[in-house]
């Protein structure tokens, strides 16, 4: 896993011709967003949906259809318990290399000290150098899914050594990725660390807290009241439970027979006079120290957006806010972050354009950045405007995706068809977003409709490929629509107190398909059988081969081989 592959430095941009595959074929690259592979059951919307085009690909040519990994270490995330997402997925698809992402990226920045040299830290540092308080908000856990306790410890040490004289930590108890009840131990360890800072003259205290599923850490705009409880406690210093210390808080609140760490009610720490010790004030700095994005985006919107209207914030302090990472690359949220996205160089897009490959990329607004910015290594704009055209189709505004589940799939397909039939482009690259965006709504019926629309879009594109004698590569960036049920460890759907299956709205850990075909594909091309653990990063070399080029030697190996028929 690389931050910048040394093998690429100083190398020529010229790609060698592939010894057995010709140049000049139109290659359509179709990314089905949120389209994983899972066993058929009533909660697999892809299986239930009428998808004859996609169903036929595996049946007609099984040697040209396989599964690849789209999560965990295959896309640069720390462990294989880490779900993939659209940003890291498209990074891997376009880069052809595995770059450190998420927690691994943070570890590298902390180990090297680069985290303190970047724009994000210097931005928040100005607040505490001017006398403001540094607030750290996040999940107090060593579960490694959303945050890690050791990273918080290093941030506390690093900030205090660089001028932070007043620090307030706002803790969210876990009990989901770690054992229930472990909140007491984590608070004890954090209090020990803060006591050592106080010995060095730093006014460091825990200021507020609550359980992750009840306070602050909601996702996908499911329940803004969760975030409001966090806002009230962390920012306003208001909560129904007040204590003199966080250790007293978690111990006392856990005495309730129904209590657990996940759903601990919000609390604030108060001084001897009953005043909260750490509300957020004008001039303060705030850092959210979770590295995983999904349960920080809503809080980030509340902290950053001037026109925020999801709940009454009462007060909107003028602060300097930074995320540990940028949580949503498409929204550019937050606008400041301590660890920048990986510096991805020599992407397949740049290589191909430098070798004369004319490229067209298209999607609707919600995924347009993924087939351009993220595909091109977190780089805006064209490599060569004379050889590239990027086209954005506006997504529906103000209409939930489950109300319009077809989204812009057919419009994207028509644009791709026209680009293919024009013969003005050698590569036509699109993202069809239905499986992911409708899947996130948790509406199973709507997701089924969305999957059918995606299949119809694919047919339009493949028909155009057929007409020009071209090649298609069809894959996905991560799973979502193939499993819409929360499950126990045995795989059985979880049910609520009323017996209803609990809907899963997140991404999954499932592999994704990749299929190749089209009349332009040489007869002897098939998927290799020696790459059992291949992932999204192997796709770039594959696409280069289909354009008639050998991939650079620092790329992950191609998925295909050519055999004599």
């Amino acid at each position: 896993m690389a931050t910048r592959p040394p093998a690429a430095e100083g190398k020529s941009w010229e790609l060698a011709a592939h010894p057995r595959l010709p140049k000049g074929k139109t290659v359509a690259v179709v990314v089905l967003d949120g389209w994983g592979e899972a066993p058929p059951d009533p909660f697999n919307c892809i299986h239930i949906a009428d998808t004859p085009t996609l169903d036929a690909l595996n049946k007609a040519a099984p040697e040209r259809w396989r599964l690849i990994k789209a999560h965990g270490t295959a896309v640069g995330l720390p462990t294989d318990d880490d779900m993939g997402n659209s940003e890291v997925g498209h990074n891997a698809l376009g880069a052809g290399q595995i770059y450190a992402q998420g927690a691994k990226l943070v570890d590298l920045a902390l180990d090297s000290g680069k985290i303190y040299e970047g724009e994000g830290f210097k931005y928040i540092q100005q607040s505490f150098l001017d006398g403001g308080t540094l607030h750290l908000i996040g999940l107090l856990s060593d579960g490694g899914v959303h945050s890690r306790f050791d990273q918080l410890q290093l941030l506390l040490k690093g900030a205090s050594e660089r001028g932070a004289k007043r620090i307030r930590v706002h803790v969210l108890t876990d009990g989901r990725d770690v054992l229930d009840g472990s909140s007491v131990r984590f608070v004890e360890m954090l209090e020990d660390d803060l006591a050592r800072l106080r010995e060095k003259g730093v006014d460091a205290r825990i200021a507020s807290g609550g359980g992750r599923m009840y306070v602050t850490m909601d996702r996908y705009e499911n329940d803004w009241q969760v975030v409001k409880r966090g806002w009230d406690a962390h920012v306003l210093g208001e909560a129904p439970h007040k204590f003199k210390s966080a250790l007293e808080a978690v111990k006392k609140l856990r005495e309730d027979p129904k209590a657990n760490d996940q759903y601990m009610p919000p609390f604030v720490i108060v001084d001897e006079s009953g005043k909260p010790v750490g509300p957020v004030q004008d001039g303060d700095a705030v850092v959210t120290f979770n590295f995983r994005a999904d349960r920080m985006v809503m809080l980030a919107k509340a902290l950053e957006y001037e026109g925020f209207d999801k709940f009454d914030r009462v007060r909107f302090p003028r602060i300097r806010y930074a995320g540990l990472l940028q949580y949503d690359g498409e929204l550019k949220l937050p606008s400041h972050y301590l660890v920048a996205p990986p510096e991805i160089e020599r992407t397949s897009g740049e290589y191909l354009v430098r070798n004369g490959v004319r490229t067209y990329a298209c999607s609707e607004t919600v995924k347009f950045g993924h087939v351009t910015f993220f595909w091109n290594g977190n780089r805006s704009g064209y490599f060569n405007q004379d050889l590239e055209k990027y086209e954005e189709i506006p997504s529906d505004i103000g209409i939930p995706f489950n109300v319009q589940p077809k989204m812009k799939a057919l419009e994207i397909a028509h644009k791709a068809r026209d680009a293919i039939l024009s013969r003005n482009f050698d590569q036509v690259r699109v993202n069809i977003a239905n499986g992911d965006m409708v899947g996130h709504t948790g509406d199973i019926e709507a997701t089924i409709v969305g999957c059918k629309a995606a299949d119809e879009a694919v047919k339009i594109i493949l028909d155009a490929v057929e007409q020009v004698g071209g090649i298609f590569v069809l894959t996905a960036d991560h799973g979502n629509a193939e499993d819409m049920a929360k499950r126990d460890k045995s795989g059985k759907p979880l049910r609520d107190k009323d017996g209803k299956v609990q809907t899963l709205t997140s991404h999954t850990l499932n592999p994704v398909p990749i299929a190749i075909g089209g009349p332009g594909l040489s007869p002897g091309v098939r998927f290799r059988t020696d790459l059992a653990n291949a992932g999204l990063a192997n796709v770039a070399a594959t696409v280069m081969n289909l354009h008639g080029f050998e991939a650079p030697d620092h790329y992950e190996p191609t998925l295909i081989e050519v055999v004599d028929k």
Side-chain angles (χ1 to χ4, degrees):
M1 191 183 301
T3 50
R4 180 180 298 169
E9 292 175 5
K11 289 211 170 224
S12 167
W13 285 98
E14 185 178 355
L15 294 172
H18 195 282
R20 303 191 65 178
L21 296 175
K23 295 185 178 72
K25 301 290 184 182
T26 302
V27 179
V29 180
V30 180
V31 180
L32 295 170
D33 214 289
W35 198 281
E37 182 75 8
D41 76 3
F43 310 102
N44 183 337
C45 295
I46 295 170
H47 170 70
I48 297 169
D50 182 20
T51 54
T53 303
L54 291 161
D55 293 345
L57 295 181
N58 185 14
K59 293 173 184 173
E63 75 281 5
R64 293 177 173 177
W65 186 98
R66 64 162 290 172
L67 297 175
I68 54 176
K69 292 183 176 181
H71 73 287
T73 55
V75 290
L77 296 170
T79 77
D80 284 338
D81 291 326
D82 294 313
M83 291 181 293
N85 61 58
S86 295
E87 291 76 34
V88 301
H90 283 78
N91 277 172
L93 285 166
Q97 307 148 81
I98 300 173
Y99 280 79
Q101 302 271 9
K104 183 64 177 176
L105 200 59
V106 175
D107 286 340
L108 292 168
L110 284 166
D111 289 347
S112 66
K114 285 185 177 179
I115 193 169
Y116 305 113
E117 300 167 7
E119 178 275 334
F121 184 80
K122 290 177 180 176
Y123 172 71
I124 59 129
Q125 186 181 33
Q126 193 58 50
S127 286
F128 53 78
L129 291 181
D130 289 344
T133 299
L134 171 62
H135 299 265
L136 297 165
I137 305 173
L139 186 66
L140 190 65
S141 171
D142 64 1
V145 177
H146 292 269
S147 67
R148 282 217 323 266
F149 184 69
D150 62 323
Q151 292 181 348
L152 171 60
Q153 290 176 303
L154 288 170
L155 283 172
L156 286 165
K157 181 175 184 291
S160 64
E161 290 173 348
R162 290 165 177 83
K165 295 300 182 187
R166 190 171 191 270
I167 300 173
R168 294 295 181 263
V169 187
H170 306 264
V171 299
L172 300 164
T173 53
D174 191 349
R176 188 177 179 94
D177 302 322
V178 294
L179 288 174
D180 184 48
S182 60
S183 59
V184 174
R185 177 172 61 88
F186 285 118
V187 167
E188 285 175 336
M189 294 192 312
L190 179 57
E191 290 284 28
D192 287 344
D193 289 338
L194 298 179
R196 282 190 285 273
L197 287 178
R198 289 195 294 273
E199 290 171 3
K200 297 178 180 179
V202 178
D203 177 9
R205 298 191 62 177
I206 296 174
S208 70
R212 57 175 286 178
M213 299 302 290
Y214 192 67
V215 179
T216 304
M217 280 178 57
D218 192 45
R219 64 179 176 187
Y220 309 137
E221 305 203 1
N222 180 56
D223 185 356
W224 278 103
Q225 288 302 303
V226 172
V227 185
K228 184 181 188 308
R229 291 182 200 108
W231 182 272
D232 290 351
H234 312 324
V235 178
L236 304 182
E238 297 175 1
H241 300 279
K242 297 177 173 63
F243 297 94
K244 296 291 178 60
S245 78
L247 189 57
E248 178 194 3
V250 292
K251 286 182 174 180
K252 194 74 177 175
L253 292 172
R254 283 192 55 82
E255 288 178 1
D256 186 322
K258 296 179 181 178
N260 60 52
D261 287 350
Q262 290 189 60
Y263 290 90
M264 190 175 290
F267 62 85
V268 296
I269 307 306
V270 296
D271 61 19
E272 294 299 327
S273 66
K275 289 180 60 177
V277 301
V280 179
Q281 307 287 2
D282 287 350
D284 287 353
V286 175
V287 171
T288 45
F289 62 82
N290 284 20
F291 50 73
R292 179 163 152 179
D294 56 352
R295 293 190 182 276
M296 284 286 105
V297 168
M298 293 168 70
L299 176 61
K301 289 178 178 179
L303 288 167
E304 184 148 315
Y305 287 173
E306 183 87 31
F308 180 85
D309 62 358
K310 301 300 183 181
F311 58 80
D312 182 5
R313 290 180 292 193
V314 182
R315 223 172 21 87
F316 182 44
R318 301 299 169 180
I319 59 172
R320 286 184 171 90
Y321 165 53
L324 184 57
L325 295 160
Q326 187 168 61
Y327 297 130
D328 191 316
E330 195 66 27
L331 295 175
K332 304 285 191 289
L333 183 74
S335 55
H336 298 276
Y337 38 87
L338 301 190
V339 181
E343 297 175 12
I344 298 176
E345 297 182 341
R346 293 184 170 257
T347 63
S348 63
E350 186 167 8
Y351 264 114
L352 289 170
V353 167
R354 284 176 177 259
N355 283 269
V357 172
R358 301 165 300 168
T359 302
Y360 174 84
C362 176
S363 190
E364 61 179 284
T365 303
V366 291
K367 297 294 179 180
F368 175 69
H370 295 81
V371 288
T372 55
F373 177 84
F374 294 108
W375 190 280
N376 291 334
N378 306 324
R379 181 189 186 280
S380 298
Y382 294 107
F383 294 114
N384 183 339
Q385 195 161 355
D386 294 334
L387 295 178
E388 296 174 277
K389 181 179 180 180
Y390 298 163
E391 194 159 6
E392 177 182 351
I393 297 172
S395 292
D396 293 319
I397 297 175
I399 304 172
F401 295 116
N402 59 324
V403 175
Q404 290 275 37
K406 294 183 179 181
M407 299 183 65
K408 301 300 178 184
L410 296 183
E411 290 90 336
I412 294 166
H414 291 145
K415 290 286 188 182
R417 175 199 63 197
D418 294 347
I420 292 166
L421 296 181
S422 75
R423 299 179 187 267
N424 291 331
F425 301 100
D426 305 299
Q427 182 180 116
V428 173
R429 183 171 71 237
V430 300
N431 177 296
I432 299 171
N434 308 61
D436 191 47
M437 301 309 294
V438 188
H440 280 318
T441 70
D443 186 327
I444 290 176
E445 291 303 317
T447 306
I448 292 168
V449 173
C451 291
K452 183 177 188 293
D455 186 80
E456 292 167 354
V458 169
K459 184 179 190 306
I460 292 168
I461 296 169
L462 298 196
D463 285 349
V465 169
E466 191 75 25
Q467 289 183 56
V468 301
I471 299 167
F472 67 80
V473 179
L474 187 140
T475 190
D477 56 346
H478 55 76
N480 186 333
E482 81 286 356
D483 192 3
M484 301 280 286
K486 294 181 181 178
R487 299 178 186 274
D488 63 21
K489 291 182 179 178
S490 70
K492 292 180 181 177
L494 291 170
R495 297 181 182 274
D496 62 20
K497 62 181 185 299
D498 298 320
K500 292 181 181 179
V501 170
Q502 296 181 33
T503 304
L504 180 71
T505 59
S506 70
H507 299 165
T508 71
L509 300 175
N510 291 321
V512 300
I514 181 169
I516 54 174
L521 189 62
S522 299
V525 174
R526 68 181 186 189
F527 282 126
R528 295 164 56 175
T529 58
D530 61 337
L531 294 172
N533 293 314
L536 296 182
N538 297 83
V539 173
T542 308
V543 171
M544 285 178 161
N545 291 171
L546 297 175
H547 278 293
F549 297 103
E550 292 273 29
D553 56 14
H554 61 277
Y555 269 33
E556 293 296 306
T558 180
L559 295 167
I560 59 174
E561 61 186 358
V562 187
V563 297
D564 294 323
K565 283 286 186 178

